[in-house]
């Protein structure tokens, strides 16, 4: 499950799931939803990214920023994500397609994921959330 | 923010007295209503900035301040390298050297009715804007290095502008001491196809009319008269600046303990100016400033092409170009002594007063043009730096209205299509690939820019010169 939360100038993204990996996947979907309706994106082409960080919060930011980079350089949008975590190493796959302005009607570019309101937490057993504000 | 929690120095100057970790006071320039409307986070962030090593005099915020990343947006802070001062990637922000330039067109209000609709359509067709757009230029490795070293000068050389443009840009169009090699391959890769693109979010190109003059003598020096048609371009360093900001924010966060820095907020990420990381960041940031200057220069030339096609009598001369998100080395007099300081402006405009040696000859007597962008349906302003501003906030002024409402709330309050129709009814033509993007940037989602500018003038930061209204707006 994903959601957005308000920020003065930009927008907060939050993913929740049974595991940190699921929460990371949903947070990425929340980021897509800042740009377009995720269901509008056809999940045709996979792109794999990997990152490593000293703590899980920085790992979330690194994951999201890796996706921002792939979206920007490949001119793609992603509609589905898969994350595998091994300690503080992440391998993620994003499925998507080339941006189609007419169909996707993208609202805004993401400049980067930030450390504002950054958190990766266990709410209760089997329930995690991962969140931060993205700069648009 | 509750104004009663601050010390009121006068109707437009408020102070947070130093306490706890603070090395200097925090100073806010705004009237009571604007202070009251500011998020409590502005206060928290200002206190954090005032606690950084080597900070000089005070941590300041402008009347348009709002909650930013580490530093408040609308924040100004200067650091002394000789006293352990720091440079902060968070204090510059993600969109390095995001800024505004204003172009004369040589056209008058009466020329617009027959042109307005075609101008809107052709500018929208000609200026790459919005998510996924590509520029006309594709930079190879050598071209990228040259662009990062040369800024607007690099763009003008092959014809993306006129040599005379350079006189009217801060740093004369080229930031000195850039280090293109300090910019990562990823940042360069992100920029390869993005030169001459407007971006999205609050970035725009507007055709405006000069509605009212407040200071006729200064307006004359700036070449502005009532009824003049001008162009405002607001954008920054695109993907390259964002990537540089992202990477150095991370590097500075991780290196903070080894530099002996305790950061109350990760986004205050900074490094001693005299450290290797600090110097590398400064070099990369200066290269990113050059990227922004080159980008706005190319957009200028694209705009000229449209006007030349539709109205051959138009002559688009650059009035001035200002940058908002920078750290620059400047000399300021502190306690009677000149000192070289690293002045961070995050969402604030440099506003040199009359007589400053860095101003172009044409503006030296009147002070630097300070360009304050509006938000689609709202006014823009041209201000001028004051002599007094050299003392206040290291010669800085506001940069825009500042958001009053989150994007989420804006989306619940407006629909893009309706807004575009409403603005058309008021004589403002909006062209954008995204109606959602238009709704997020609704004029009502921003503070009253006129109130912000009035406060900036009343606080002595800059003086009002001209008030402009939009007629065409190209949104990314």
């Amino acid at each position: 499950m994903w959601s957005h939360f308000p920020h003065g100038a930009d927008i907060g993204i939050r993913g929740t799931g049974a595991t940190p990996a699921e929460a990371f996947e949903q947070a990425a979907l929340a980021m897509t939803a800042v740009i377009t309706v995720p269901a509008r994106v056809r999940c045709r082409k996979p792109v794999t990214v990997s990152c490593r960080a000293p703590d899980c919060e920085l790992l979330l930011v690194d994951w999201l920023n890796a996706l921002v980079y792939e979206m920007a350089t490949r001119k793609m949008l992603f509609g589905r994500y898969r994350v595998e975590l091994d300690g503080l190493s992440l391998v993620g796959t994003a499925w998507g397609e080339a941006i189609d302005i007419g169909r996707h009607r993208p609202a805004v570019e993401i400049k980067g994921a930030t450390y504002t309101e950054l958190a990766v937490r266990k709410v209760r057993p089997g329930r995690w959330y991962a969140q931060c504000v993205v700069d648009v | 923010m509750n104004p009663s929690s601050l010390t009121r120095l006068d109707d437009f100057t408020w102070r947070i007295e130093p306490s706890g970790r603070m090395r200097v006071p925090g100073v806010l320039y705004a009237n009571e209503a604007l202070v009251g409307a500011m998020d409590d986070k502005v206060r928290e962030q200002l206190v954090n900035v005032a606690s950084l090593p080597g900070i000089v005099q005070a941590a300041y915020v402008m009347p348009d301040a709002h909650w930013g990343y580490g530093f408040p947006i609308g924040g100004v802070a200067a650091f002394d390298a000789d006293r352990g001062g720091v440079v902060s990637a968070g204090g510059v922000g993600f969109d390095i050297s995001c800024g505004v330039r204003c172009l004369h067109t040589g056209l008058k209000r009466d020329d617009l009715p027959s042109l307005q609709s075609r101008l809107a359509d052709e500018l929208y067709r000609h200026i790459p804007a919005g998510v996924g757009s590509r520029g006309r230029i594709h930079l190879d490795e050598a071209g990228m290095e040259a662009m990062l070293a040369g800024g607007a000068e690099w763009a003008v050389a092959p014809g993306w502008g006129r040599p005379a443009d350079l006189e009217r840009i801060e740093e004369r169009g080229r930031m000195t001491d850039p280090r293109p090699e300090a910019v990562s391959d990823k940042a360069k890769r992100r920029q390869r196809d993005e030169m001459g693109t407007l971006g999205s979010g609050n970035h725009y190109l507007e055709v405006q009319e000069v509605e009212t003059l407040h200071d006729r003598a200064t307006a004359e020096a700036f070449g502005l008269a009532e009824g003049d048609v001008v162009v405002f371009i607001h954008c920054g360093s695109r993907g390259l600046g964002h990537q540089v900001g992202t990477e150095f924010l991370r590097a500075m966060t991780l290196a903070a303990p080894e530099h002996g820095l305790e950061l109350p907020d990760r986004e205050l990420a900074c490094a001693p100016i005299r450290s290797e990381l600090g110097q590398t960041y400064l070099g990369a940031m200066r290269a990113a400033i050059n990227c922004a200057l080159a980008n706005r220069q190319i957009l200028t030339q694209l705009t000229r092409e449209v006007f030349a096609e539709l109205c051959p009598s138009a002559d688009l001369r650059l009035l001035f170009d200002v940058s908002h998100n920078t750290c620059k080395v400047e000399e300021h007099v502190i306690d009677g002594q000149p000192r070289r300081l690293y002045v961070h402006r995050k969402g604030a405009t440099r506003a040199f007063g009359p007589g400053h040696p860095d101003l172009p000859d044409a503006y030296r007597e009147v002070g630097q043009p300070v360009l304050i962008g509006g938000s689609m349906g709202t006014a823009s302003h041209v201000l001028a730096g004051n002599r007094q501003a050299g003392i206040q906030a290291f010669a800085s002024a506001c940069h825009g209205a500042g958001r009053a409402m989150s994007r989420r709330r804006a989306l619940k309050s407006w629909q893009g299509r309706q807004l575009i129709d409403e603005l058309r009814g008021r004589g403002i033509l909006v062209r954008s690939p995204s109606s959602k993007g238009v709704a997020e940037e609704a004029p009502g989602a921003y503070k009253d820019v006129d109130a912000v500018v009035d406060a900036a003038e009343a606080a002595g930061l800059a003086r009002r010169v001209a008030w402009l209204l939009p007629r065409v707006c190209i949104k990314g």
Side-chain angles (χ1 to χ4, degrees), chain B residues 220-253:
Chain B
E220 194 180 332
F222 289 170
L224 290 172
E226 268 171 19
D228 277 1
V229 174
V230 301
V231 173
F232 261 52
I233 299 173
H234 176 214
C235 71
S237 49
R238 308 290 297 115
L240 183 137
H242 308 159
Q243 193 69 29
V244 168
T246 295
E247 290 170 5
F248 279 93
L249 198 70
R250 187 182 198 277
M252 286 179 173
T253 301

Side-chain angles (χ1 to χ4, degrees), chain B residues 50-130:
Chain B
S51 310
L52 291 173
I55 188 164
V56 176
Q57 205 160 267
Y60 297 95
V61 294
M62 303 292 113
D64 51 338
H66 53 101
W67 176 20
Y69 299 104
F71 277 52
I73 293 166
V76 178
F79 298 85
D80 188 337
D82 292 336
R83 300 187 187 189
V86 293
V87 59
S88 170
V92 171
F94 286 97
D95 195 356
I96 297 168
S97 193
C98 179
V100 177
R101 64 169 49 189
C102 175
L103 299 157
H104 300 285
T105 64
L107 302 179
K108 300 296 280 186
R109 180 183 285 137
D110 293 347
D111 297 319
L112 264 190
S114 62
L115 269 178
Q116 191 182 6
S117 176
R118 282 183 300 149
L119 259 182
D121 292 340
E122 286 308 304
L123 284 168
Y124 182 55
R125 218 167 52 86
H126 211 65
I127 306 281

Side-chain angles (χ1 to χ4, degrees), chain A residues 4-10 33-35 52-55 57-58 62 65 68-69 72-73 75 99 101 105-118 133-136, chain B residues 41 66-69 73 94-95 130-134 186 189-190 194 199-203 238 242-243 246 249-250 253-254 266-267 403 405-408 433-434 436-437 440 476:
Chain A
H4 291 155
F5 60 91
H7 171 265
D10 295 301
V34 172
I35 309 168
R52 193 176 169 77
D55 63 57
E57 291 182 340
L58 281 182
D62 286 355
N65 278 328
V68 168
Y69 176 79
T73 53
K75 308 286 181 202
I99 294 171
I101 302 293
R105 297 197 295 271
V108 73
E109 270 176 335
I110 309 275
K111 294 176 187 169
T114 76
Y115 303 155
T116 296
E117 303 290 302
L118 172 60
V133 168
V134 290
D135 189 8
V136 298
Chain B
K41 287 277 184 186
H66 53 101
W67 176 20
Y69 299 104
I73 293 166
F94 286 97
D95 195 356
V131 181
S133 58
R134 289 172 196 268
K186 284 179 88 170
R189 171 73 187 80
R190 215 168 142 180
E194 289 199 354
S200 65
N202 62 358
H203 293 163
R238 308 290 297 115
H242 308 159
Q243 193 69 29
T246 295
L249 198 70
R250 187 182 198 277
T253 301
L254 295 179
R266 273 175 161 168
E267 265 163 341
R403 283 194 82 93
M405 186 188 287
S406 72
R407 289 173 182 278
R408 198 175 165 199
S434 167
K436 185 182 173 210
E440 287 185 4

Side-chain angles (χ1 to χ4, degrees), chain A residues 11-22:
Chain A
I11 191 156
I13 59 171
R14 182 182 295 131
T16 54
T19 62
E22 272 186 35

Side-chain angles (χ1 to χ4, degrees), chain A residues 20-102:
Chain A
E22 272 186 35
F24 276 42
E25 291 166 3
Q26 291 297 314
L29 211 52
M31 185 164 74
T32 294
V34 172
I35 309 168
T36 187
V37 177
R40 286 187 196 145
V41 183
R42 293 172 186 155
C43 300
R44 287 177 167 158
K45 186 181 171 192
V47 173
T48 301
V49 302
S50 56
C51 26
R52 193 176 169 77
D55 63 57
C56 59
E57 291 182 340
L58 281 182
L59 190 61
L60 173 67
V61 171
D62 286 355
W63 154 241
L64 297 171
N65 278 328
L67 296 171
V68 168
Y69 176 79
E70 297 298 337
M71 284 191 284
T73 53
R74 294 172 186 270
K75 308 286 181 202
M76 285 180 73
L77 292 175
F78 302 117
R80 184 159 69 89
Y81 300 92
R82 176 70 194 264
V83 167
E84 286 173 30
L85 291 175
D86 178 8
L88 293 171
S89 294
L90 176 153
V91 177
T93 305
W95 285 267
E97 61 173 336
I99 294 171
D100 179 330
I101 302 293

Side-chain angles (χ1 to χ4, degrees), chain B residues 260-285:
Chain B
L261 295 167
E262 272 183 51
L263 302 178
D265 173 354
R266 273 175 161 168
E267 265 163 341
L268 277 177
C270 56
I273 293 163
R274 295 256 161 84
S275 67
E276 192 182 336
L277 180 57
Q279 288 297 309
T280 309
Y281 173 69
L282 281 165
M285 182 209 56

